[in-house]
Amino acid sequence: MKPRVSVITIGVNDLNEALRFYRDGLEFPTEGIVGEEFDHGAVSFFDLQPGLKLAIWHRKDIAHEAKIKVHHPSPTEFTLGHNVNSKTEVDHVMDKAERAGALITDPAHDTFWGGYSGHFQDPDGHLWEVVWNPDWDEVE
């Protein structure tokens, strides 16, 4: 299988609150909530980079679609990595996230491997890592 990930969907408890966090707080571009005319269809998409979107969808609607029960989420199931070009940019993103309502779980710091990173949780507990890796090419 050739990997073709184009949408990362995360489950949220309150679609409007999550929309405010990502759109207003982190300034991710979006058209807002779409699909409200459909049962279990309300969702918001955010453009992350060419060919990749983040979707926020209510947990109960994901469960309905996938034919599974809603379970208690764990923030350690996965992390979303946001790579930037400098330590200063890590600090800027972490500050923006905190002002938007994120919980800073791991303040930005020098890492053992020579980079610089910090972690935060969005209002639904999803864990994000903001990281600068000096060995990676500049990100756009």
Side-chain angles (χ1 to χ4, degrees):
M1 175 176 118
K2 183 174 182 175
R4 295 188 189 272
V5 176
S6 58
V7 178
I8 298 170
T9 303
I10 57 176
V12 300
N13 293 321
D14 183 322
L15 192 57
N16 288 303
E17 179 184 18
L19 175 64
R20 282 190 297 276
F21 177 78
Y22 286 104
R23 179 193 61 203
D24 303 336
L26 296 184
E27 299 177 347
F28 286 7
T30 182
E31 293 182 17
I33 298 173
V34 297
E36 292 179 288
E37 67 273 24
F38 305 108
D39 288 341
H40 307 286
V43 63
S44 290
F45 296 98
F46 302 88
D47 295 317
L48 298 180
Q49 60 199 47
L52 182 61
K53 293 183 182 295
L54 173 70
I56 55 173
W57 200 13
H58 201 284
R59 282 188 168 101
K60 68 177 175 49
D61 296 332
I62 292 173
H64 175 81
E65 172 91 358
K67 314 274 188 290
I68 61 172
K69 293 181 181 180
V70 176
H71 295 280
H72 294 288
S74 170
T76 59
E77 291 174 6
F78 67 93
T79 64
L80 296 162
H82 180 68
N83 290 281
V84 297
N85 293 314
S86 68
K87 290 181 178 184
T88 301
E89 198 172 348
V90 170
D91 291 335
H92 173 75
V93 172
M94 293 291 290
D95 182 56
K96 180 180 274 195
E98 185 171 35
R99 283 184 281 120
L103 171 66
I104 305 300
T105 63
D106 177 34
H109 62 282
D110 291 314
T111 65
F112 69 91
W113 48 267
Y116 188 74
S117 75
H119 290 83
F120 70 84
Q121 286 181 282
D122 74 5
D124 288 283
H126 299 108
L127 191 59
W128 284 78
E129 179 184 24
V130 182
V131 61
W132 167 71
N133 185 332
D135 295 327
W136 286 7
D137 292 336
E138 192 167 303
V139 294
E140 294 181 33

